Amino acid sequence: MDYTLYAPEDFAANESYLRYYFKLDPVDVFFWQNWISNHPEKLDVIMSADQLISFAALQLPEEEYQQEMERLHRAINTHEGEAPQEEAPLTATKQGRLIRLFALAVITIGIVLTAILFLYNKEYYSNRNTRQLLATQYLQEKKNNGTQALTIQLEDSSTVILEAGAKLLYPPHFKSGKREVYLEGEAFFDVSHDADRPFYVYYNNLVTHVLGTSFRIKTNPKKQVEVTVHSGKVEVYEQVTASRKRERTNVSNGVILTPNQKVIYSEDSRQFEALLVEDPLPLLPVMPADSLHSAGSVAAAASFVFNRAPLPEVLHTFEQVYGIEIEVENERINNCHFSGDISDMDFNARMEVICQVLHAAYEIRGTKIIIRGSGCPE
């Protein structure tokens, strides 16, 4: 059985997991502690399963509960030392009656309980989620309780700048195959490149995945997450839940971002909106006008000084410097030429000047820019 496909009620009805939950068998405790540590993406499901088991146990009369616990103890003594089997089915013996009772209670109250947990116990859930992470993965917790940004140096030389009120959970030593941290609040990440160990930032069910780059993550109480890319390439996606896997919808909902792009993710609607940042920054140095004839400068930087340059050449310079795709609505716009020195301006001012000269206008559409206008004669 693949436990990664389990929903909360599946764990709550699993005999081995129940022995782990009630700390009845050290073999099962050891197995599940290791499994949870190796599957941090299932922590939300595990927390819900624990709540379901706790609630279901309360529904049994005390005398019957004690009888079933004694039977389960006897069953464990009979099979002591056996590790949990991935494919062993539940048996219809007396010692399984407790499990069946739990399963029945879970089926009856599962939907209502889940709603209560997530709508009314969010703070408790979040705190317990943090405690479980700290216990199972030996993570360190750093919270910025001040008013100024706090810089954290990770083991791999990556840097995290925590804004006021933000919290980061991270290991003192990363695993050999991946680097994982957990964020609440806002932080800027400057991740050292390591192709053999991708870097993951988790926030609830959202994952930000990089190899080595710089980006900012901002979370807020409105259940929105914003990821802004400064350099490199960043993948942002939802973790695939057990129910979606069972429905064979294994493709994660997400986007891939490049510099000067950002995404806003809404937890309620589970929608990603990819956009340009408000103030795009150059990805290449820009030469001032008085440096145009300096030796070697042409190869190292781009120029925003034009003399009757065809518009496709001008737009290519923008795309090269900012990494932003620009399209024209009317092909006749490509017949226009532009002259001027816009090297001392920012992105938006440069676009405004060009559009004024061409009697055109530009519009941001997602991560692209569209230039609209009547164009020029051939």
Side-chain angles (χ1 to χ4, degrees):
M1 178 61 68
D2 184 359
Y3 292 126
T4 61
L5 301 179
Y6 267 33
E9 59 269 23
D10 297 321
F11 284 106
N14 181 278
E15 184 175 353
S16 170
Y17 188 83
L18 286 171
R19 290 196 297 263
Y20 153 75
Y21 177 85
F22 289 109
K23 302 297 184 288
L24 298 176
D25 187 346
V27 175
D28 290 284
V29 170
F30 178 80
F31 173 84
W32 285 107
Q33 284 180 342
N34 277 275
W35 190 92
I36 294 170
S37 177
N38 292 326
H39 296 83
E41 74 281 359
K42 299 294 293 183
L43 201 59
D44 290 355
V45 178
I46 290 295
M47 292 292 96
S48 296
D50 289 353
Q51 293 283 358
L52 289 171
I53 296 171
S54 176
F55 190 94
L58 294 175
Q59 309 309 304
L60 295 176
E62 180 63 25
E63 182 179 351
E64 188 174 2
Y65 173 80
Q66 292 298 334
Q67 291 176 355
E68 296 302 338
M69 291 298 291
E70 291 174 6
R71 288 174 182 150
L72 192 56
H73 269 294
R74 289 197 296 271
I76 291 166
N77 292 332
T78 302
H79 302 285
E80 187 173 4
E82 294 183 5
Q85 299 296 317
E86 293 277 347
E87 298 181 358
L90 294 176
T91 59
T93 57
K94 289 184 178 180
Q95 58 264 32
R97 187 162 176 259
L98 176 63
I99 288 84
R100 293 196 302 275
L101 287 170
F102 277 139
L104 180 60
V106 166
I107 292 172
T108 304
I109 55 101
I111 296 176
V112 175
L113 178 59
T114 301
I116 293 173
L117 290 175
F118 284 90
L119 294 177
Y120 299 102
N121 292 325
K122 186 68 173 180
E123 182 175 355
Y124 170 79
Y125 174 84
S126 177
N127 291 336
R128 187 172 182 184
N129 188 47
T130 298
R131 292 196 299 270
Q132 183 76 3
L133 280 169
L134 292 170
T136 59
Q137 298 196 58
Y138 309 103
L139 299 179
Q140 301 177 147
E141 177 181 335
K142 182 72 72 172
K143 183 173 183 179
N144 185 358
N145 294 313
T147 58
Q148 302 296 321
L150 175 66
T151 300
I152 301 173
Q153 190 81 21
L154 301 181
E155 176 213 17
D156 63 339
S157 298
S158 296
T159 301
V160 183
I161 301 177
L162 282 183
E163 299 297 337
K167 179 171 65 177
L168 186 73
L169 302 180
Y170 61 98
H173 302 287
F174 287 116
K175 297 178 182 178
S176 59
K178 62 171 62 175
R179 297 170 287 174
E180 297 176 301
V181 299
Y182 302 80
L183 174 70
E184 292 181 15
E186 179 178 356
F188 178 83
F189 291 80
D190 190 359
V191 177
S192 61
H193 184 82
D194 189 341
D196 296 326
R197 291 193 302 170
F199 195 97
Y200 296 87
V201 182
Y202 297 94
Y203 173 75
N204 289 350
N205 68 324
L206 195 71
V207 183
T208 302
H209 168 215
V210 301
L211 292 177
T213 182
S214 59
F215 57 96
R216 179 176 295 275
I217 301 179
K218 183 188 300 184
T219 67
N220 61 49
K222 296 180 180 179
K223 297 184 179 181
Q224 284 189 335
V225 184
E226 181 177 310
V227 181
T228 303
V229 179
H230 289 250
S231 65
K233 184 179 292 186
V234 174
E235 181 184 15
V236 184
Y237 60 91
E238 287 181 318
Q239 296 190 63
V240 179
T241 63
S243 60
R244 291 174 66 195
K245 282 185 178 181
R246 284 198 293 267
E247 295 167 1
R248 300 184 179 180
T249 55
N250 292 332
V251 179
S252 298
N253 186 18
V255 296
I256 294 178
L257 303 174
T258 54
N260 286 323
Q261 295 181 355
K262 69 177 182 179
V263 65
I264 298 176
Y265 169 76
S266 172
E267 290 189 65
D268 289 336
S269 64
R270 295 177 53 206
Q271 295 296 313
F272 289 84
E273 183 181 12
L275 303 165
L276 289 181
V277 298
E278 286 77 9
D279 297 302
L281 298 176
L283 308 180
L284 296 175
V286 176
M287 289 185 296
D290 56 5
S291 302
L292 284 176
H293 302 292
S294 300
S297 64
V298 175
S303 171
F304 276 97
V305 180
F306 302 99
N307 183 18
R308 284 197 55 79
L311 192 66
E313 178 184 322
V314 176
L315 298 184
H316 176 71
T317 301
F318 272 85
E319 292 179 337
Q320 184 182 34
V321 172
Y322 292 100
I324 297 174
E325 185 178 351
I326 303 176
E327 297 179 355
V328 295
E329 184 182 53
N330 184 349
E331 287 296 328
R332 286 168 57 86
I333 296 177
N334 288 327
N335 297 331
C336 300
H337 293 73
F338 175 78
S339 297
D341 177 5
I342 53 175
S343 56
D344 292 333
M345 302 178 183
D346 61 22
F347 176 84
N348 293 304
R350 286 169 177 159
M351 289 299 301
E352 288 288 350
V353 169
I354 290 176
C355 288
Q356 286 178 9
V357 172
L358 301 181
H359 302 289
Y362 75 96
E363 179 182 337
I364 298 175
R365 285 289 186 90
T367 58
K368 297 181 180 180
I369 287 182
I370 308 295
I371 296 181
R372 308 182 188 281
S374 57
C376 303
E378 295 184 12

